[in-house]
Amino acid sequence: MSDGSLSQEEINALLQGVDEVVPDTTGGLSSPGMTAGDQLGEQEKQSFLNIIKDQLPTAANTISTIITKKVTFSNFNLEMKSSVDVRSEMIGEFLQVKIDYTEGISGDVLFVFKKQDAAVVADLMVGQDGSAPPIQLNDLYLSALGEAVSQINSAGITIFSEKLNRIIKTSPPKVEVVTDPGKLMLPSGTNIIKITSTFQVEGLINSTMIQFFPISLVKEVIPGAAAPVSYEMSKQPMAGPAMTSAAMPMPQQVKVQQAQFPSLNVQGISAEQAANIQLLMDVPMQLTVELGRARMLVKEILGLGEGSIIELDKLAGEPVDLLVNNKLIAKGEVVVIDENFGVRVTDIINPMERLIGLQDKK
């Protein structure tokens, strides 16, 4: 202070052995040893909650399409809580899914569901009706739930990427059942952000989904926090304590308008879902038709010559495989169109078969 005296807050901090006084969101003093990185202001909380409110309805549309039942998220609530308090509140058997951000932003997010709700979702993901999921979730069901949560989190990645104007990548989800709150894979930090929302699946689930975020990640993605504008102060002497507007150049105004997309009429999906799909329509994909495969020794390959015959692992007349980016999506039969070969699609691989295929590759 200018008169050399100490305020009451500074005196209290010295008595407690605290090097720095950090005001909390209510205007008082924070806990001893807590830094500004462990806190979040009310405006920052509301900004991040608005992002979640944009993310989850979009994710609900995607999951609805996959499991062919209406999924909704509502009644969003954000709290800043200590890890100790969170663990003391978690009673029962849960299924946790942790996803780490590996590029673009740093941190992780933890999704927590009641085990019985997670089992229903996984049952629907593998092509069943969700009415009688297994009590013990095997690797197939855990993989299915991990895929569902990845779809939910992908909507958030899209929003974060747009706000920060950078590519964001994550690790594969880590999925496990927990009965001990001490084994929850909570984000690091004295305080963390807990977001709860009502999670409903048509006719089957009316429950709660919980998301946990580290405060450092929240500060990185909320508007204005990730890319602050720096100004160069004038080196000329100033007559008064206040800087004039001429000495502080303001950022250039950029005109932004809503993107307009043509209508997409696809049978069986809503207009909102169609708009989401439209964003991906121009992404190129590699389509491969595989007649069959053979496993050979090196000496056999070196012995190949003109006229050699290789026996494949498919029978004559058996459907060929259609792969997109090396993933099986359909089967078909070879046809001839004019002078070119073509494939008539005869079968689309359902979600359960795709998951089994992924499981077999592990």
Side-chain angles (χ1 to χ4, degrees):
M1 300 178 63
S2 59
D3 60 358
S5 62
L6 296 175
S7 67
Q8 185 61 45
E9 293 179 353
E10 292 170 322
I11 294 172
N12 292 340
L14 290 173
L15 291 175
Q16 296 172 356
V18 180
D19 295 330
E20 181 181 7
V21 178
V22 181
D24 64 14
T25 55
T26 62
L29 292 177
S30 64
S31 302
M34 186 175 292
T35 66
D38 294 317
Q39 300 193 28
L40 210 60
E42 292 302 321
Q43 186 174 356
E44 293 172 314
K45 291 180 184 177
Q46 188 58 51
S47 296
F48 191 69
L49 185 59
N50 290 338
I51 292 176
I52 299 300
K53 288 181 178 179
D54 289 339
Q55 169 197 353
L56 292 184
T58 301
N61 290 335
T62 302
I63 300 299
S64 297
T65 302
I66 295 174
I67 67 176
T68 65
K69 283 188 177 294
K70 185 177 181 181
V71 176
T72 58
F73 293 99
S74 59
N75 302 323
F76 308 101
N77 183 58
L78 183 149
E79 299 176 276
M80 185 169 63
K81 304 182 75 71
S82 71
S83 299
V84 175
D85 289 342
V86 168
R87 295 186 192 278
S88 66
E89 296 170 354
M90 303 296 288
I91 301 174
E93 196 169 16
F94 300 92
L95 195 140
Q96 64 175 349
V97 183
K98 181 185 178 185
I99 297 178
D100 295 312
Y101 285 85
T102 59
E103 185 177 329
I105 57 177
S106 59
D108 51 12
V109 57
L110 180 67
F111 293 79
V112 178
F113 304 83
K114 291 181 179 179
K115 183 189 172 184
Q116 59 267 33
D117 299 333
V120 172
V121 174
D123 199 50
L124 293 169
M125 288 289 292
V126 299
Q128 303 303 311
D129 61 9
S131 61
I135 297 176
Q136 298 298 327
L137 302 180
N138 58 26
D139 289 343
L140 174 61
Y141 273 72
L142 294 178
S143 296
L145 190 71
E147 175 61 25
V149 173
S150 292
Q151 294 295 334
I152 296 173
N153 195 61
S154 293
I157 293 175
T158 301
I159 295 176
F160 297 162
S161 181
E162 291 174 351
K163 288 186 175 295
L164 301 178
N165 193 27
R166 67 182 74 156
I167 296 174
I168 295 177
K169 296 181 180 180
T170 62
S171 65
K174 301 175 184 177
V175 187
E176 66 176 26
V177 177
V178 290
T179 55
D180 178 6
K183 294 184 178 180
L184 285 171
M185 297 182 286
L186 295 175
S188 60
T190 304
N191 286 338
I192 56 178
I193 294 300
K194 174 185 178 182
I195 296 179
T196 58
S197 56
T198 300
F199 172 46
Q200 295 175 306
V201 176
E202 178 186 5
L204 292 171
I205 297 176
N206 185 5
S207 186
T208 300
M209 181 183 75
I210 308 176
Q211 296 170 273
F212 295 103
F213 295 87
I215 291 180
S216 58
L217 184 148
V218 175
K219 286 181 174 290
E220 195 171 356
V221 301
I222 57 178
V229 179
S230 60
Y231 300 100
E232 181 178 355
M233 298 179 63
S234 173
K235 296 181 180 180
Q236 297 179 355
M238 298 193 308
M243 178 180 291
T244 64
S245 60
M248 183 182 289
M250 299 300 293
Q252 183 180 2
Q253 295 290 331
V254 178
K255 184 179 180 181
V256 179
Q257 64 183 23
Q258 183 69 33
Q260 300 294 325
F261 299 101
S263 61
L264 176 66
N265 296 320
V266 180
Q267 186 176 4
I269 66 174
S270 67
E272 186 176 357
Q273 293 168 345
N276 294 333
I277 295 174
Q278 181 66 37
L279 297 174
L280 305 175
M281 294 298 287
D282 292 331
V283 176
M285 307 288 284
Q286 183 69 39
L287 174 65
T288 304
V289 177
E290 186 175 277
L291 181 62
R293 298 189 181 190
R295 188 178 183 87
M296 304 175 66
L297 300 176
V298 173
K299 63 181 181 181
E300 294 174 331
I301 295 174
L302 294 176
L304 292 177
E306 294 183 8
S308 298
I309 297 176
I310 301 173
E311 183 177 356
L312 303 178
D313 58 358
K314 284 187 178 291
L315 299 174
E318 189 175 351
V320 296
D321 295 335
L322 277 73
L323 302 97
V324 173
N325 286 1
N326 294 322
K327 295 190 181 299
L328 180 65
I329 65 161
K331 293 181 178 293
E333 58 184 16
V334 178
V335 297
V336 177
I337 305 174
D338 295 332
E339 297 181 355
N340 298 323
F341 282 116
V343 175
R344 179 186 293 114
V345 176
T346 58
D347 184 31
I348 300 294
I349 305 301
N350 64 42
M352 183 175 183
E353 290 177 333
R354 295 181 204 173
L355 285 168
I356 293 174
L358 291 174
Q359 191 69 23
D360 292 341
K361 293 178 182 178
K362 291 184 177 181

